[in-house]
Each structure stands twice: as structure tokens, then as C-alpha cells.
Amino acid sequence: QDFSLPWTVESVGDAPKKEVVDFLQAHASLELQQAHKLVGNVKNVCKNLKGPAVVAAYVAAIEQGAWVSPDELAREKEAREAMQALSLAEKKRAAAQTAPAPAAEEPTRPAVPMFRKRVLKKGKGSVPKSGEKVQLHYTGKLEDGTVFDSTTDGKTGKKKAPLVFKVGMPKPVVIPGWDAAVLTMAVGETAEVTIPAEHAYGKKGVEGLVPPNSTLVFEVELTNIL
């Protein structure tokens, strides 16, 4: 110790807290500073420590002879910073070793088209707009050719009453794929429309008529826009 103590054990209690903290940070060992929570910005240390705690740190430094030269204190701080950097590097390395491998991204499935249309007879009339009422004849089949619904009598071949509904409504009146297809047809047109299950009756199907997950094939004739 090549400096004189500015306060005695008896008088340090009357000294300004900031001056005592300044002195201890400049001359006390880093170990003592850490033990008494003196490390850090002087203003913050003074804010967090009450006067008696600062006095106790000063008395402990005297009793333990925990004084160091500026050079020794600098070396202690350098050693502490090196240890902290090493500890941080070890933590990062450990985290990298234990981190789960990133999950493989699932390939994006292409959107299923609502329908496929093959024109059998071209129409010469207007194309319906959303909200308009259309009139049409149709025959609905499963992929194996089984007819499940039709506006044509299966025995006589005569057409029954046509189907009439509003097309392009926010909540479609008919299955979505069929509704979308009719919006592309002109009056007088006859088309074969194939609709995947996702845009038909889906996983549930229609009991007794359409099995679950069925692709449907319709022959549609748009006869009028009402």
C-alpha cells in the first residue's frame, strides 16, 4: 500500500458516500469490490448501496488489507473480462451443440384447381355474372361413369325441369367447383366439367350417392340467364 487512507474506521461514516465508493473502486481489490457490490458505474453503485454498506466495505478493505496498486487492479479487471468472454463463448458453443436441427420445410403443395372444363358445344350467348340467376341441364357422374344425379330421365332420355340458381354468390348455392365453372360458360354452351373432391363434396361425400373424396364429372348445358 503506497497511499494513505483518507478516513479512519471511526470517521468514514461521516464521509460522502460517492467519495468512499470512488476511493474503493480505485484502490480496493476486484474481489472485495465484487463481494460488496462496488463494481460498476459510481452513480449506480451509490444508488443501490446504502451508507452503512459502503462503510462496511471500507472497513473490510482495511481489515483484510485488500488494497492493490492501479496496475494490479487493471490486471485483475483484464483477467475478469477475459474469463467473462470465455464463459460467454462456452455458453454459445454449448447452445449450438444442443440446439435442435432446424425442421425441414415442407414443400408447398400447389393449389388444387377448382375445375377442368372441356367444351363440347360452343355457346353464342352471354356469360353470366355473379349474382345472376342461371338455368341449366346437367348430368353428374362419378369417375367410373356411375350417374348420381341428372335433369334428364335415365329411362326415357327426356329432359326434366332445368336447375335454376343464382351463380357466384358469396356462399355458393351448388358445390364450389361447379359454381366457378358455370361463370365461364356462355348461354348455349355444353361442357364437360371435372371437379376434384376438394371443391365438390370433399371427405364426407353424399351418403348413398357420392363416396368420400370423389372426383365428379358433369356434363352441363347452360340454357339461359334469367
Side-chain angles (χ1 to χ4, degrees):
Q1 175 183 332
D2 55 0
F3 56 86
S4 58
L5 296 176
W7 307 281
T8 63
V9 171
E10 292 78 15
S11 66
V12 68
D14 298 324
K17 183 165 60 172
K18 181 180 180 302
E19 291 185 16
V20 179
V21 173
D22 272 332
F23 182 81
L24 288 170
Q25 286 189 341
H27 300 287
S29 68
L30 190 59
E31 182 180 358
L32 182 131
Q33 292 186 44
Q34 290 174 325
H36 290 270
K37 299 180 180 179
L38 295 167
V39 178
N41 179 273
V42 174
K43 185 177 180 180
N44 291 336
V45 172
C46 291
K47 182 179 179 181
N48 295 328
L49 291 181
K50 296 185 180 298
V54 176
V55 170
Y58 183 80
V59 172
I62 293 175
E63 292 176 347
Q64 297 172 22
W67 307 112
V68 294
S69 67
D71 288 342
E72 289 175 318
L73 185 58
R75 285 195 293 272
E76 286 184 0
K77 289 182 177 178
E78 287 177 1
R80 182 191 65 167
E81 291 170 358
M83 288 297 293
Q84 288 176 337
L86 181 60
S87 175
L88 181 61
E90 288 291 341
K91 287 180 180 178
K92 287 183 177 179
R93 184 159 50 249
Q97 291 174 347
T98 58
E105 293 186 7
E106 291 188 9
T108 302
R109 295 181 61 186
V112 177
M114 296 193 74
F115 64 90
R116 294 195 312 274
K117 188 178 80 167
R118 182 166 65 92
V119 176
L120 304 177
K121 175 186 174 184
K122 289 186 178 181
K124 297 181 179 180
S126 302
V127 175
K129 298 177 182 177
S130 293
E132 290 187 322
K133 190 176 290 186
V134 297
Q135 175 180 290
L136 52 80
H137 283 284
Y138 70 92
T139 296
K141 301 178 183 179
L142 304 179
E143 283 187 296
D144 63 4
T146 302
V147 175
F148 63 86
D149 194 14
S150 180
T151 57
T152 300
D153 189 298
K155 293 181 179 179
T156 65
K158 292 182 179 180
K159 290 184 178 179
K160 298 181 285 189
L163 177 67
V164 176
F165 66 94
K166 284 186 177 181
V167 71
M169 300 299 288
K171 187 175 181 180
V173 178
V174 295
I175 56 176
W178 197 22
D179 188 72
V182 172
L183 283 168
T184 69
M185 297 178 67
V187 173
E189 179 180 326
T190 300
E192 182 184 81
V193 179
T194 303
I195 303 171
E198 290 88 338
H199 302 297
Y201 294 107
K203 296 178 180 179
K204 293 183 178 180
V206 179
E207 187 175 356
L209 291 175
V210 179
N213 300 310
S214 292
T215 295
L216 306 181
V217 181
F218 289 89
E219 185 173 307
V220 184
E221 179 189 0
L222 180 60
T223 58
N224 203 359
I225 298 173
L226 304 178

